Amino acid sequence: MASFLQLLFLTVSIHTISITALSSTNNTGICSSNNTIFDPSTHKLVSQCSDHTFCSAPINGMCIPRLCRRDEFPFGYGPSEAPPPLCPQGFFCPDDGSGCLPLVSVGAPCEPNRDEQCSPPLDWQDLASFQNYNGSICLKSTCMCVKVWLSSLMHCVLRQVTCRYANITLGQNCIVDNTTYTDTGPNGEQYMFTVTRDNCRSPQFYCDPGSSACQRAKAVGVACQLDSECEERNCNSAKVCVEPPETPLRVAPWQWGLTIGSILAAMVVICILLTLIHRRHRYARYKELQEYYHDQIGYVSSISAPSYQWAHQERT
Ligand SMILES: *[C@@H]1O[C@H](CO)[C@@H](O)[C@H](O)[C@H]1NC(C)=O
Ligand SMILES: *[C@@H]1O[C@H](CO)[C@@H](O)[C@H](O)[C@H]1NC(C)=O
Ligand SMILES: *[C@@H]1O[C@H](CO)[C@@H](O)[C@H](O)[C@H]1NC(C)=O
Ligand SMILES: *[C@@H]1O[C@H](CO)[C@@H](O)[C@H](O)[C@H]1NC(C)=O
Ligand SMILES: *[C@@H]1O[C@H](CO)[C@@H](O)[C@H](O)[C@H]1NC(C)=O
């Protein structure tokens, strides 16, 4: 057991050392592009050249400045550094930035997790979804199994990553591609994260790993085992398909009705209140005017009444 652990430790250390040696920057100087690998834990391309350069030849090449970039803001370039150009429509920039290449046709090799390197199918509008790029997907091929000579053993190898159309429907054979990413936490603990992708038509179907056939994806609320089984690609810890946390809030029709009804009711109540207040003011003003005229009439009659009496007395 101890020797096994020792061996394991040694293997891990050698692996770590080789990755570290490869990933250190080597701006000028000799390199070999056949030493360029994908880091097995992060799946990032690691070469003997820096983030600004690529290796020009498989053996005894030179690290020369990159000719293209795949991202708007490429990794390793400062704000003042001019990055290489993006590729025009119908072309892609490979991970090492060695120059734009035309899109890859279905069945031809592509770089892992680079669905946009594949040329789209004719009916790309029907097949496009969040699980692919314009209906194309870059996946590992099925196991290619060969019978080992003069024995009953089968030797299986995973063929290289190739472009596929996400066009497989219910019950047909499909390909499952698991990619495990490993990251180290602050205390040195290892986190594993597996992304499962397939070439079934999405989001209607998913590839069942047991039968390798496309099955109908499960709606929200149905029991599940894996994220990929759900239409929303989210199976929670209680093993039920749920909407992912980033789903925008959907307002139910009754909530719309209640909100609009409350606003209308508030407007009607305000109108009624204003009418009542106005009517009360008008009544108060009417009362005031009425009192004024009443007083005026009273005053006028109190002046005119004695003069009439006086005139009456004059005549007699
Ligand atoms: C740069 O590349 C050369 C040729 O492969 C290699 O011998 C050397 O160790 C590399 N330097 C670094 C710092 O990785
Ligand atoms: C790179 O090429 C050399 C010479 O052909 C070969 O010996 C070596 O195994 C190759 N390395 C890789 C990683 O393929
Ligand atoms: C593919 O997708 C891109 C971006 O989503 C879009 O601009 C383009 O028109 C689509 N179709 C093709 C055939 O490339
Ligand atoms: C999916 O696309 C491939 C490549 O064009 C084609 O050979 C295959 O028949 C298609 N499958 C379905 C089910 O349409
Ligand atoms: C992919 O992962 C799923 C779930 O962990 C597993 O059931 C399946 O066998 C895996 N398939 C391959 C090809 O590794």
Side-chain angles (χ1 to χ4, degrees):
M1 185 68 195
S3 64
F4 170 73
L5 281 181
Q6 234 165 15
L7 187 72
L8 190 73
F9 178 70
L10 202 70
T11 319
V12 168
S13 330
I14 288 170
H15 170 79
T16 315
I17 289 164
S18 60
I19 294 284
T20 318
L22 282 176
S23 61
S24 50
T25 55
N26 208 346
N27 261 326
T28 51
I30 304 155
C31 59
S32 295
S33 69
N34 84 343
N35 284 330
T36 301
I37 56 153
F38 283 96
D39 182 333
S41 55
T42 62
H43 299 272
K44 185 187 187 293
L45 190 87
V46 184
S47 80
Q48 290 176 315
C49 299
S50 74
D51 292 326
H52 293 215
T53 57
F54 71 97
C55 196
S56 63
I59 307 141
N60 282 340
M62 294 286 287
C63 287
I64 56 175
R66 290 190 174 193
L67 299 173
C68 64
R69 70 181 199 264
R70 60 172 286 207
D71 295 314
E72 188 66 48
F73 301 103
F75 179 78
Y77 287 83
S80 56
E81 289 167 302
L86 286 165
C87 290
Q89 185 110 31
F91 291 83
F92 70 90
C93 185
D95 281 336
D96 65 0
S98 57
C100 297
L101 296 171
L103 293 181
V104 170
S105 57
V106 68
C110 45
E111 287 174 312
N113 207 13
R114 294 288 308 272
D115 297 345
E116 80 279 14
Q117 295 187 349
C118 303
S119 59
L122 288 175
D123 54 346
W124 67 271
Q125 272 124 329
D126 293 338
L127 301 179
S129 83
F130 287 118
Q131 265 73 50
N132 56 50
Y133 185 83
N134 287 353
S136 295
I137 189 161
C138 186
L139 288 183
K140 275 194 200 96
S141 293
T142 37
C143 272
M144 198 174 64
C145 294
V146 285
K147 203 166 169 291
V148 176
W149 194 56
L150 288 181
S151 82
S152 58
L153 292 173
M154 293 292 271
H155 175 70
C156 294
V157 285
L158 259 175
R159 276 199 276 142
Q160 67 192 140
V161 192
T162 55
C163 283
R164 304 265 151 191
Y165 292 156
N167 65 353
I168 311 298
T169 50
L170 190 64
Q172 293 177 308
N173 251 344
C174 53
I175 301 163
V176 183
D177 183 347
N178 290 345
T179 311
T180 304
Y181 296 86
T182 315
D183 198 9
T184 310
N187 303 323
E189 67 273 35
Q190 299 263 299
Y191 292 102
M192 306 263 269
F193 185 73
T194 301
V195 175
T196 303
R197 308 176 78 221
D198 58 62
N199 60 341
C200 292
R201 211 182 161 129
S202 58
Q204 301 95 318
F205 304 105
Y206 73 95
C207 193
D208 178 39
S211 63
S212 283
C214 291
Q215 305 284 324
R216 197 164 288 282
K218 294 167 181 174
V220 167
V222 179
C224 56
Q225 289 300 318
L226 301 167
D227 286 340
S228 54
E229 292 174 18
C230 302
E231 267 174 20
E232 300 282 344
R233 310 284 151 174
N234 190 29
C235 187
N236 71 2
S237 51
K239 298 291 171 204
V240 176
C241 287
V242 290
E243 287 190 334
E246 68 275 14
T247 312
L249 182 72
R250 282 191 207 123
V251 181
W254 69 268
Q255 286 165 326
W256 279 112
L258 193 70
T259 312
I260 293 171
S262 311
I263 292 171
L264 287 180
M267 282 162 69
V268 167
V269 166
I270 288 170
C271 285
I272 292 174
L273 274 178
L274 284 175
T275 313
L276 286 180
I277 290 169
H278 189 64
R279 192 177 279 184
R280 184 162 285 212
H281 278 164
R282 268 179 38 191
Y283 183 69
R285 181 117 183 96
Y286 169 76
K287 269 281 198 223
E288 210 175 305
L289 281 177
Q290 202 184 24
E291 255 167 48
Y292 173 76
Y293 285 121
H294 205 263
D295 286 355
Q296 289 296 312
I297 290 166
Y299 184 60
V300 167
S301 52
S302 68
I303 297 171
S304 58
S307 64
Y308 168 76
Q309 237 170 16
W310 183 73
H312 191 68
Q313 277 166 6
E314 281 257 290
R315 239 185 288 151
T316 48

